[in-house]
Amino acid sequence: MPYKDKGHLKIEDRGSVLIVTVDGGPHGVFGLDIANQLDKLVRRVDRDPNVRAVVFTGAHPERFVSHASVRWLQEEGAASPTVGRRRASVVAHLARRTRALAPVLDRTPMRGAAQLDRLHATFLRMNASGVVFVGALNGSALGLGAEFAWACDLRVMTDGDYFIGQPEILLGIIPGGGGTQRLTRLIGTHKSLVAILEGKPFTPEEALANGAVDEVVPQGEVVARATALAERFGARSKGSVEAAKRSVYFGGSLGLPEGLHVERAEFFARVMSKDGQRLMLDYIATTEATGELPLYRPDTYAEALTSGSVPGLHSKNGR
């Protein structure tokens, strides 16, 4: 009997921040229904100027997202027809660079590849979005659950007897939701390789020490802390957040000359933007009026970090 996913996302609207609870059923797994709903959600918030941040947490009392639905993966691998060289887009792109991938290309399942491509596209859209995505890891996360967390911009994990990692090799497969790429970018090549080859997850303390999560907080505080971070980072200009994320996520993985080109393009787009021009002109006017650079006034800098932009004469006068 074909696997039928019954997972869903519960969305709580808190104005500029959405709290999204991932409900993967009794075991807290990530299946096709959740993948489809996540794609729709990311597209919607990316277009909505009023949404500045999204916090993801799990419905399971001890798990963020357990891992991918193994039945979903197994059935796709067993039942999907294979495709030729021209129809598996991701592997075809890589195969042009190395003959070693040709046997893999011939075995790529068409339907499974399309679903995986779509999931990768969802995560990449998160990385290119002006919305700040925060993972509130209320418990453990393995496999695709961990990859979902790696795709977020910030991760807060609850302390306790929990874990996060990539165990796929113990099932005879490897990470397929971006784990080999995003974990490597977070913690470094060697640490990532060892963790993936062994299949052993990190404890919250190990994840924090390695840079795989940003904070570890007491149990019961994870959503509140993640929401506070979402509100803080979401207060920044959405256009500037988008430009910074694209520069770091995409430019940062290129060679230095190419990465600098990405940064330059994003920089000038923001310099010419309405927000950028307004804030820079206000900064100049405030400097001339006070005789000091606003960012060298501790009180002004502290206010800027809280509000998301440097306060100036115009902003203080409500203009």
Side-chain angles (χ1 to χ4, degrees):
M1 180 178 180
Y3 173 71
K4 293 185 179 181
D5 198 351
K6 297 184 182 301
H8 69 277
L9 303 181
K10 177 184 176 183
I11 302 172
E12 179 185 348
D13 189 340
R14 296 191 184 178
S16 63
V17 177
L18 301 183
I19 309 297
V20 179
T21 302
V22 183
D23 188 343
H27 295 297
V29 297
F30 190 118
L32 184 57
D33 273 4
I34 289 178
N36 290 338
Q37 291 173 45
L38 179 64
D39 184 70
K40 292 179 181 178
L41 172 70
V42 173
R43 289 175 183 272
R44 176 171 71 84
V45 299
D46 194 37
R47 295 190 300 263
D48 189 339
N50 297 315
V51 177
R52 312 302 289 272
V54 175
V55 173
F56 292 111
T57 194
H60 193 287
E62 296 183 344
R63 301 171 192 171
F64 172 59
V65 174
S66 297
H67 49 59
S69 164
V70 177
R71 184 171 297 279
W72 176 35
L73 300 181
Q74 181 271 323
E75 290 186 354
E76 286 302 323
S80 297
T82 57
V83 297
R85 297 176 182 275
R86 295 174 182 263
R87 299 185 64 186
S89 59
V90 174
V91 184
H93 176 72
L94 295 174
R96 285 194 290 269
R97 290 166 171 77
T98 171
R99 293 181 181 178
L101 285 173
V104 177
L105 179 60
D106 288 331
R107 297 195 302 270
T108 302
M110 179 175 63
R111 189 174 66 185
Q115 292 176 1
L116 187 57
D117 278 356
R118 186 183 185 196
L119 181 60
H120 283 313
T122 301
F123 288 165
L124 286 170
R125 186 170 287 109
M126 289 167 60
N127 297 151
S129 174
V131 175
V132 176
F133 295 95
V134 185
L137 281 69
N138 58 299
S140 298
L142 291 174
L144 188 52
E147 290 166 319
F148 183 18
W150 310 146
C152 292
D153 303 307
L154 297 166
R155 287 154 291 277
V156 180
M157 190 171 186
T158 188
D159 199 4
D161 190 19
Y162 303 112
F163 43 83
I164 181 170
Q166 306 285 171
E168 288 88 347
I169 201 163
L170 304 178
L171 288 174
I173 58 177
I174 68 167
T180 65
Q181 303 304 303
R182 288 191 174 85
L183 182 60
T184 298
R185 285 161 170 77
L186 282 171
I187 71 173
T189 301
H190 183 66
K191 288 182 179 179
S192 176
L193 178 63
V194 171
I196 289 170
L197 288 180
E198 186 176 13
K200 181 181 179 181
F202 301 127
T203 65
E205 294 76 14
E206 290 170 339
L208 180 63
N210 285 324
V213 301
D214 298 287
E215 294 186 21
V216 173
V217 300
Q219 190 175 26
E221 298 180 15
V222 65
V223 174
R225 179 56 185 155
T227 302
L229 287 175
E231 291 172 345
R232 183 178 181 86
F233 284 86
R236 278 79 179 136
S237 161
K238 191 169 182 177
S240 294
V241 168
E242 179 181 6
K245 285 172 58 173
R246 284 196 300 246
S247 296
V248 171
Y249 284 125
F250 306 130
S253 60
L254 301 173
L256 182 58
E258 293 82 6
L260 290 172
H261 281 300
V262 173
E263 181 189 270
R264 182 180 64 183
E266 298 290 355
F267 169 75
F268 279 114
R270 296 312 301 161
V271 165
M272 294 183 290
S273 70
K274 183 178 179 180
D275 281 348
Q277 284 292 313
R278 176 180 59 82
L279 289 169
M280 287 187 293
L281 287 172
D282 203 8
Y283 191 90
I284 293 169
T286 304
T287 301
E288 292 174 347
T290 64
E292 179 58 287
L293 299 169
L295 285 173
Y296 278 84
R297 295 177 57 93
D299 56 338
T300 301
Y301 209 142
E303 185 178 347
L305 290 174
T306 301
S307 67
S309 61
V310 178
L313 294 177
H314 295 169
S315 57
K316 288 181 178 179
N317 291 333
R319 288 184 285 174

